[in-house]
Amino acid sequence: MSPPIVTRRSAQQAKIQTRAMASKSKGAAGATAATAAGVIGGGGGSSAGGGSGGISAADPRKANKPSAALLEAKRRARNMLKNQSNVMQECVTDIFQNAVDCKGAVRKPTALIYDESMSQHCCLWDKEHYECPERFTRVLERCRELNLAERCLELPSRSATKEEILRLHTEEHFERLKQTSGIRDDERMEDLSSRYDSIYIHPSTFELSLLATGSTIELVDHLIAGKAQNGMAIIRPPGHHAMKAEFNGYCFFNNVALAAQHALDVHKLQRILIIDYDVHHGQGTQRFFYNDPRVVYFSIHRFEHGSFWPHLQESDYHAIGSGAGRGYNFNVPLNAIGMTNGDYLAIFQQLLLPVALEFQPELIIVSAGYDAALGCPEGEMEVTPACYPHLLNPLLRLADSRVAVVLEGGYCLDSLAEGAALTLRSLLGDPCPRLVEVLPLPRPELTQALLSCIAVHRTHWRCLQLQRTYDSKELLDQEKAQTDLHKLLRLWIGGPPPVDRYPTRDTAIPLPPEKLARNAARLQVLRTETKLSLPAVRVCYSYDAQMLLHCNLDDPGHPEQPSRVQHIHKMHEEYGLLARMKQLAPRAATTDEVCLAHTRSHVNSVRRLMGRDPEELHRVAAGYNSVYLHPRTFDCATLAAGAVLQAVDSVLRGESRHGICNVRPPGHHAEQDQPHGFCIFNNVAIAAQYAIRDFGLERVLIVDWDVHHGNGTQHIFEANPKVLYISLHRYEHGAFFPKGPDGNYDVVGKGAGRGFNVNIPWNKKGMGDLEYALAFQQLIMPIAYEFNPQLVLVSAGFDAAIGDPLGGCKVTPEGYGLLTHWLSALAGGRIVVCLEGGYNVNSISYAMTMCTKTLLGDPVPTPQLGAVALQKPPTVAHQSCVESLQSCLEIQRSHWRSLEFVGRRLPAGDCVGENNNEDFLTASLRQLNISNDDAPGAAGGAAGDRNACGDERPSGSKPKVKALEQNEMFAVYPLKTCPHLSLLRPEEAPQSAIDSGAACSVCGSTGENWVCLGCRLVGCGRYMGGHMELHSAEAQHPLAMSQADLSVWCYACSSYVDHPRLYAYLNPLHVDKFQEPMAWTHGCPRREDGCYPLGADGRDDDEDLAGSSGLCLRLERNN
């Protein structure tokens, strides 16, 4: 067992206890000795103790020897500490250790890997093919134009080994492509390519596919080894459609999946996040990791209810993973074209980033397809190139900055080149460019898909609990009232019927000429107006030692003391940060400048305090709330305000990118007409008004994360729509300083400023990194992006930091670094961080230092949001956090349309059941187009039936049942019996055919309907209108069969059921659907009356069931 870790506090407590024990023991021993001496003396002995046998008190040998009582007390104390360490569940570590460890950490290079030979891969028989060499060359050209490539660490490319490929792909797959290497027979290669969906094969394809995969693995190796901070692989052919044994969608080997598996196997990583924002679903990557909880696969793709390629049901939102991987697969299906920046940002903020924070990945790999970019003829979306850095930026501080971006698709050369280059620019640490166009709001189609995705995952992720829920009974009650309840809808349209041969020529379908011209003109305007020039100075720094003069003459131990800024300054020096920043010359704010936020009488009253004696100052201060005054208070307060104005000048004039203001006295409590709460003048409010007056700004964002509500700032701007004030603070239902109702969530501003005041009140102490991160991503950042500020001012109080004596919260220094990084994506990076409160000098020093390092581009440790806390039940603080955020969202959604969908309530419980991944089996088997017994390659077919190399059918067209064994298809495991079967009366089952096309009896839907086995009522499934589920609950008829795939679902058991007793109901539906009787597939003999025992497979419960099978496959004709 490792020795116990002793903190200063525990050591001090042990010392106090030891002394107390020693004192107690000495007192007892002394009393005993005195009593004994008295008895002896009373017996006639000498009172002076001068007998020859006595021990002299002056004996030097005994004077320094500890008494037995002291030794015993120390022994007990040691045993007590030992016992305490034995029951410790977690090691006690330094709360600032992460900040200490990154003291010498500076930004590592961004890696870039590519190979010029990748331009050789092309389609020899279709010169207009979208997947052309120019995709590769144009990206490199734009990166060089912007001088990005020369700023990177260029890695040598390498080919993947066969062993690396076989980690995921079959040997037959590998050899099939290898056999094409160097073959110049175009006719033969075109014929082979036609057997696969969207594939062409070039003589160099095999070597270049190995090179693309090997380069991706090489990039990942460098990131994990710490040789680079992040990196980008500009490669082709792409990879995310490539499956275990099949080429597909321009892809041969799955570059990203193979690199992830390499990281799992070789580097023993346990948590990898794959983000795929290519407009086509990466079904290959999904299938490789569908059962693996070590990999979260998150895909955003055009779906249009299956009518968009690759036309797979597994691309819908209900595919959440299976087995141990259940809940780790995310699909956000886009069911309309024209999705914009607002839609993609909403996906990241409301779903991806909260999940990423909770998952705590050790590595992030981005499958970066740019076919959702404006102008791409395949995606037909409208994401602007400058938006891609905004999507990437919040990820760059996760996974200890180990982020690998790997090129996938993108077929508009202009938007592809610009989007990829700006992505690399973001990896290099440059601020996100401002979005030129007004941010469009999320579309209704996105709202539906995003909420459905959250609904099916919310039981698996604590971070997805913000939406309130409803049950089926409430849905029934509220149906007529048309309340704002989100209903899960699934509509399957699908694609064209499967074919034996795929087209190889003229596959490019260009956009209409007028649309091409509009897109080209718009892209040119965006490129011209997107400002990419940057100041050479990253951070300017405002500080003046004169601000130390302001102090409390009556209480030297007052929390707001000069050592606060002194310690911050000293730590910046120790971390080597001062030399890397531009030191701003101090100046005092003028009276006119201070009066931008304060009344002139207030300024004059503070000025008149100069030179007053301490007693008079004390009397004046007593008239204010929590304020002390000093003869130099006016000088220090104007210096603090002037220091912030200096930083604003430097940033807005383009001399510096960001600003750090280490100032005091703080300011955010100061009202227009009086000081308040340690604050004299409101530094940040003055700076905001100054930016509006002198620089003509129209939109300034103030984010106040001080643990106390910034009442002064709120009151100054509550009617001003040019300033958006957002405050996160401890509130305690109005009982926490500054007390009163002004800090509650329902205070949103007045008059023209209504909606521009956002309060996020914490009603419990103990809020930490997780709670602050959730508030930022699901509330603050969406509002901030919609507001589109021109300047961001941070009232950076650090009294919510762990260890603060007043705040009682637990935000870590690295947590503040993360929040700073997220805010730096706004306003083109123009952000000024200004010190407010914070009263543990260690906490504030580390916290401000992490903010500064973040703005300097240094790596800051990722806050451990999910590693320990999320393995325990939710804390009271977290539950209170969720309640506060829900209240805030409900109020603010009426003012900010980016939050409009957040207030929708979701269905309670596990929403994935009757239409989970099991449907993929039925959907795939419907494409088999075979009869029950004569199906080639069906279960029981010879293993040697596989066609020769190059002749195997693609799984996308006519998959084989054998694919089940290769994890390329999915099987459903129904219950073999069900207690609710006893409700059925097979002898009363309909003898004539049941209409397989009957509409829902309530809403008339024909999309996905079920037939009640209790009364034959037809109702739609829960992903349409949910009327069958409602009928089941009302009528107590739990069993229903699907018109689509003839499966039977029990609502009471929440499972599929397969039993002979169901045949009497299924057969009439089968006759209507396929014009022939349903085959008997059960092991027991068929009975005319249909009344089988309720045991598994129609046997009695006590029969031997050892030979029964647990897997039911139903094969259907293709209809």
Side-chain angles (χ1 to χ4, degrees):
M1 178 180 172
S2 60
I5 299 175
V6 181
T7 62
R8 292 188 183 94
R9 184 176 180 85
S10 63
Q12 187 178 31
Q13 289 176 339
K15 185 180 291 185
I16 292 171
Q17 290 171 336
T18 301
R19 289 173 176 170
M21 291 179 183
S23 176
K24 184 176 179 180
S25 300
K26 283 183 177 179
T32 304
T35 303
V39 170
I40 294 171
S46 170
S47 62
S52 61
I55 300 175
S56 170
D59 189 342
R61 295 172 301 171
K62 302 298 181 181
N64 294 327
K65 184 177 180 179
S67 68
L70 180 59
L71 292 174
E72 175 63 17
K74 288 184 175 181
R75 185 187 68 80
R76 292 179 182 176
R78 283 194 299 268
N79 288 339
M80 182 179 65
L81 284 175
K82 184 177 179 180
N83 291 334
Q84 288 177 349
S85 67
N86 287 337
V87 299
M88 288 176 65
Q89 298 298 314
E90 301 170 8
C91 285
V92 179
T93 56
D94 190 338
I95 57 177
F96 304 124
Q97 192 61 51
N98 286 335
V100 172
D101 290 342
C102 71
K103 179 177 182 180
V106 294
R107 180 182 171 80
K108 297 173 185 175
T110 292
L112 176 64
I113 192 164
Y114 62 92
D115 194 293
E116 300 282 2
S117 66
M118 291 177 182
S119 62
Q120 297 173 13
H121 177 66
C122 64
C123 184
L124 297 174
W125 48 84
D126 184 358
K127 299 303 181 183
E128 301 300 320
H129 199 284
Y130 279 147
E131 214 295 278
C132 59
E134 289 76 17
R135 295 182 58 250
F136 173 78
T137 56
R138 286 284 298 276
V139 170
L140 285 179
E141 288 170 4
R142 183 57 176 156
C143 290
R144 289 165 179 159
E145 284 177 17
L146 296 176
N147 299 317
L148 303 177
E150 64 188 36
R151 295 168 57 190
C152 298
L153 171 66
E154 292 199 15
L155 305 180
S157 60
R158 75 166 179 89
S159 296
T161 65
K162 181 178 180 180
E163 179 185 8
E164 289 170 335
I165 299 296
L166 296 187
R167 281 198 175 100
L168 292 178
H169 295 289
T170 64
E171 184 165 3
E172 185 179 8
H173 178 83
F174 179 88
E175 294 297 333
R176 186 183 304 124
L177 188 60
K178 183 178 180 181
Q179 290 172 11
T180 69
S181 178
I183 293 180
R184 300 287 176 177
D185 187 341
D186 292 358
E187 184 177 349
R188 180 182 168 192
M189 289 298 97
E190 184 175 5
D191 179 73
L192 177 58
S193 299
S194 71
R195 299 171 185 269
Y196 301 95
D197 193 353
S198 305
I199 285 293
Y200 69 78
I201 300 176
H202 183 270
S204 66
T205 296
F206 173 69
E207 286 77 12
L208 295 180
S209 297
L210 288 177
L211 198 59
T213 299
S215 297
T216 306
I217 294 174
E218 185 72 10
L219 174 61
V220 166
D221 279 340
H222 271 72
L223 298 189
I224 296 175
K227 298 177 182 177
Q229 181 153 319
N230 50 44
M232 187 171 188
I234 301 175
I235 57 170
R236 59 186 293 269
H240 68 144
H241 296 304
M243 291 174 279
K244 184 174 184 178
E246 182 184 334
F247 316 137
N248 187 266
Y250 310 160
C251 304
F252 301 91
F253 300 139
N254 198 312
N255 307 314
V256 165
L258 287 164
Q261 194 65 46
H262 174 84
L264 294 171
D265 294 346
V266 176
H267 298 286
K268 308 301 179 185
L269 298 191
Q270 293 300 310
R271 296 182 305 280
I272 297 175
L273 171 62
I274 298 176
I275 301 166
D276 188 342
Y277 53 63
D278 189 286
V279 83
H280 302 92
H281 179 227
Q283 86 280 15
T285 309
Q286 172 172 303
R287 292 180 181 185
F288 283 125
F289 300 112
Y290 203 73
N291 304 296
D292 194 337
R294 297 175 298 173
V295 177
V296 165
Y297 176 68
F298 194 106
S299 176
I300 308 167
H301 50 266
R302 183 176 167 187
F303 184 59
E304 293 192 273
H305 308 292
S307 64
F308 189 71
W309 195 91
H311 312 297
L312 298 172
Q313 290 207 37
E314 64 195 84
S315 305
D316 210 350
Y317 66 82
H318 68 294
I320 67 171
S322 66
R326 185 174 173 84
Y328 291 87
N329 193 86
F330 289 79
N331 286 324
V332 182
L334 306 179
N335 290 314
I337 60 174
M339 295 290 180
T340 65
N341 298 346
D343 297 299
Y344 274 73
L345 283 169
I347 295 168
F348 270 63
Q349 292 162 352
Q350 299 298 328
L351 182 56
L352 172 57
L353 288 167
V355 168
L357 291 167
E358 183 170 336
F359 183 57
Q360 294 282 284
E362 300 168 287
L363 172 68
I364 297 174
I365 309 179
V366 181
S367 277
Y370 294 90
D371 35 10
L374 174 65
C376 183
E378 289 215 358
E380 297 187 79
M381 301 297 179
E382 298 186 11
V383 179
T384 64
C387 183
Y388 286 100
H390 289 269
L391 301 180
L392 182 65
N393 178 268
L395 301 169
L396 294 179
R397 293 295 171 168
L398 305 182
D400 288 329
S401 301
R402 295 192 291 199
V403 179
V405 178
V406 182
L407 184 63
E408 297 282 2
Y411 308 101
C412 171
L413 297 181
D414 289 338
S415 60
L416 164 65
E418 193 71 11
L422 294 182
T423 298
L424 180 57
R425 181 177 179 272
S426 184
L427 288 170
L428 284 162
D430 291 354
C432 296
R434 287 192 60 201
L435 298 175
V436 173
E437 299 176 339
V438 175
L439 186 69
L441 299 172
R443 294 180 51 176
E445 296 88 347
L446 186 276
T447 299
Q448 176 67 33
L450 183 56
L451 287 177
S452 297
C453 195
I454 292 173
V456 298
H457 281 92
R458 68 186 309 276
T459 58
H460 302 278
W461 297 90
R462 187 179 296 177
C463 61
L464 301 180
Q465 306 300 312
L466 281 187
Q467 280 81 10
R468 295 184 172 92
T469 61
Y470 65 88
D471 55 26
S472 57
K473 183 178 180 181
E474 185 177 0
L475 177 63
L476 180 64
D477 295 339
Q478 300 291 343
E479 187 89 357
K480 297 178 182 178
Q482 296 294 317
T483 56
D484 197 15
L485 305 182
H486 176 71
K487 300 175 184 177
L488 300 184
L489 304 177
R490 276 186 58 212
L491 172 63
W492 173 252
I493 297 175
V499 296
D500 291 321
R501 297 291 180 129
Y502 291 89
T504 57
R505 297 172 183 258
D506 302 320
T507 57
I509 305 176
L511 296 173
E514 60 275 11
K515 189 167 185 179
L516 280 173
R518 285 199 307 270
N519 288 340
R522 186 176 166 195
L523 284 170
Q524 182 59 42
V525 170
L526 288 171
R527 181 167 171 174
T528 301
E529 296 187 4
T530 299
K531 306 301 181 185
L532 300 180
S533 59
L534 293 172
V537 176
R538 290 190 72 109
V539 182
C540 61
Y541 179 71
S542 287
Y543 172 75
D544 190 341
Q546 291 295 312
M547 287 183 277
L548 302 177
L549 297 176
H550 174 70
C551 63
N552 192 323
L553 298 175
D554 298 303
D555 180 9
H558 192 278
E560 207 294 285
Q561 52 186 270
S563 60
R564 296 172 62 245
V565 294
Q566 195 173 27
H567 275 77
I568 291 173
H569 186 76
K570 182 179 179 182
M571 184 167 288
H572 276 60
E573 187 174 18
E574 291 173 353
Y575 274 61
L577 305 182
L578 295 181
R580 299 168 59 194
M581 296 186 290
K582 177 183 178 180
Q583 309 287 313
L584 298 176
R587 78 166 177 89
T590 66
T591 298
D592 286 344
E593 289 168 341
V594 176
C595 287
L596 289 171
H598 296 284
T599 62
R600 192 166 295 272
S601 62
H602 171 49
V603 177
N604 290 334
S605 64
V606 177
R607 180 186 286 112
R608 286 194 293 268
L609 298 175
M610 298 175 65
R612 299 286 182 91
D613 62 80
E615 290 185 3
E616 185 177 357
L617 291 174
H618 184 71
R619 285 196 303 271
V620 174
Y624 301 118
N625 188 344
S626 304
V627 171
Y628 70 78
L629 299 170
H630 184 276
R632 300 296 298 274
T633 290
F634 180 80
D635 295 336
C636 295
T638 52
L639 273 175
V644 180
L645 297 183
Q646 287 286 76
V648 169
D649 275 335
S650 182
V651 169
L652 293 183
R653 288 173 181 166
E655 300 166 358
S656 308
R657 302 182 197 177
H658 322 294
I660 291 289
C661 302
N662 181 18
V663 299
R664 64 179 291 275
H668 71 143
H669 292 305
E671 300 282 1
Q672 288 179 294
D673 56 354
Q674 64 178 339
H676 187 273
F678 308 164
C679 303
I680 309 301
F681 299 141
N682 199 313
N683 308 315
V684 166
I686 294 168
Q689 295 283 43
Y690 177 80
I692 293 170
R693 185 193 70 175
D694 287 25
F695 292 91
L697 299 193
E698 294 292 326
R699 297 177 306 278
V700 177
L701 168 64
I702 298 175
V703 176
D704 187 342
W705 66 47
D706 189 289
V707 82
H708 303 95
H709 178 235
N711 53 289
T713 310
Q714 173 173 302
H715 293 151
I716 290 170
F717 295 112
E718 60 189 351
N720 190 342
K722 293 185 177 182
V723 177
L724 170 60
Y725 176 67
I726 304 178
S727 176
L728 305 92
H729 51 270
R730 190 171 165 193
Y731 183 62
E732 301 281 358
H733 303 287
F736 196 73
F737 187 88
K739 301 184 178 182
D742 285 355
N744 209 4
Y745 63 84
D746 56 356
V747 180
V748 297
K750 299 178 179 179
R754 187 168 178 80
F756 292 90
N757 191 87
V758 180
N759 284 326
I760 306 175
W762 303 136
N763 288 315
K764 296 288 183 183
K765 64 179 182 179
M767 302 296 174
D769 292 342
L770 177 61
E771 289 73 29
Y772 275 74
L774 285 176
F776 261 71
Q777 285 305 327
Q778 299 195 334
L779 184 60
I780 294 175
M781 296 306 291
I783 292 176
Y785 267 101
E786 185 175 344
F787 181 64
N788 190 23
Q790 298 163 297
L791 173 67
V792 178
L793 300 173
V794 182
S795 277
F798 297 109
D799 36 9
I802 190 168
D804 189 90
L806 300 185
C809 291
K810 300 178 181 179
V811 183
T812 64
E814 56 270 26
Y816 283 113
L818 181 64
L819 304 183
T820 302
H821 173 74
W822 286 342
L823 291 174
S824 69
L826 302 167
R830 299 196 296 188
I831 177 175
V832 176
V833 179
C834 177
L835 181 66
E836 295 284 0
Y839 307 103
N840 178 325
V841 292
N842 288 319
S843 297
I844 64 173
S845 299
Y846 283 117
M848 184 65 108
T849 300
M850 292 304 101
C851 294
T852 303
K853 284 181 69 67
T854 294
L855 295 179
L856 285 169
D858 293 348
V860 172
T862 302
Q864 298 302 302
L865 305 178
V868 176
L870 292 170
Q871 297 173 7
K872 303 175 182 178
T875 63
V876 173
H878 183 81
Q879 292 171 328
S880 178
C881 162
V882 170
E883 293 171 1
S884 293
L885 293 181
Q886 287 175 338
S887 299
C888 293
L889 289 166
E890 188 62 34
I891 288 292
Q892 294 297 335
R893 65 191 288 254
S894 61
H895 302 287
W896 300 97
R897 292 179 60 193
S898 56
L899 304 176
E900 187 173 356
F901 62 90
V902 177
R904 305 273 292 276
R905 289 194 290 159
L906 304 179
D910 191 344
C911 298
V912 177
E914 67 188 42
N915 286 291
N916 188 20
N917 209 33
E918 299 88 5
D919 285 345
F920 306 160
L921 174 66
T922 305
S924 299
L925 291 180
R926 279 211 301 270
Q927 299 181 34
L928 289 174
N929 198 22
I930 56 178
S931 297
N932 297 303
D933 300 322
D934 59 352
D945 288 345
R946 183 187 294 262
N947 294 333
C949 180
D951 295 330
E952 182 177 344
R953 294 183 186 274
S955 66
S957 58
K958 292 184 179 180
K960 299 181 178 182
V961 175
K962 194 169 184 179
L964 286 168
E965 301 172 4
Q966 300 175 347
N967 293 323
E968 295 171 357
M969 291 169 60
F970 303 87
V972 61
Y973 290 83
L975 297 176
K976 302 306 292 182
T977 186
C978 164
H980 306 94
L981 291 171
S982 62
L983 301 175
L984 300 182
R985 296 292 178 264
E987 65 276 8
E988 300 175 2
Q991 300 302 311
S992 59
I994 297 178
D995 184 1
S996 61
C1000 173
S1001 60
V1002 179
C1003 65
S1005 167
T1006 58
E1008 178 211 324
N1009 289 335
W1010 295 71
V1011 180
C1012 175
L1013 298 190
C1015 63
R1016 263 70 75 197
L1017 177 139
V1018 177
C1020 56
R1022 64 176 63 163
Y1023 296 101
M1024 299 301 291
H1027 294 116
M1028 180 52 70
E1029 183 177 14
L1030 293 173
H1031 169 73
S1032 173
E1034 278 188 318
Q1036 296 297 302
H1037 292 172
L1039 293 163
M1041 62 179 173
S1042 169
Q1043 291 179 350
D1045 57 22
L1046 282 76
S1047 58
V1048 174
W1049 176 261
C1050 178
Y1051 284 96
C1053 296
S1054 294
S1055 179
Y1056 288 100
V1057 182
D1058 179 55
H1059 191 272
R1061 186 172 282 222
L1062 300 172
Y1063 180 84
Y1065 298 87
L1066 293 169
N1067 186 52
L1069 185 60
H1070 192 280
V1071 169
D1072 182 78
K1073 196 173 182 70
F1074 302 112
Q1075 291 76 51
E1076 65 179 28
M1078 182 177 180
W1080 180 259
T1081 59
H1082 299 283
C1084 62
R1086 183 178 171 186
R1087 296 175 51 159
E1088 291 299 325
D1089 61 3
C1091 295
Y1092 300 89
L1094 296 182
D1097 208 17
R1099 307 180 185 186
D1100 291 327
D1101 292 337
D1102 56 353
E1103 290 187 49
D1104 179 17
L1105 303 179
S1108 64
S1109 171
L1111 174 64
C1112 174
L1113 303 180
R1114 178 173 292 115
L1115 308 182
E1116 299 179 1
R1117 288 188 181 278
N1118 183 9
N1119 59 346

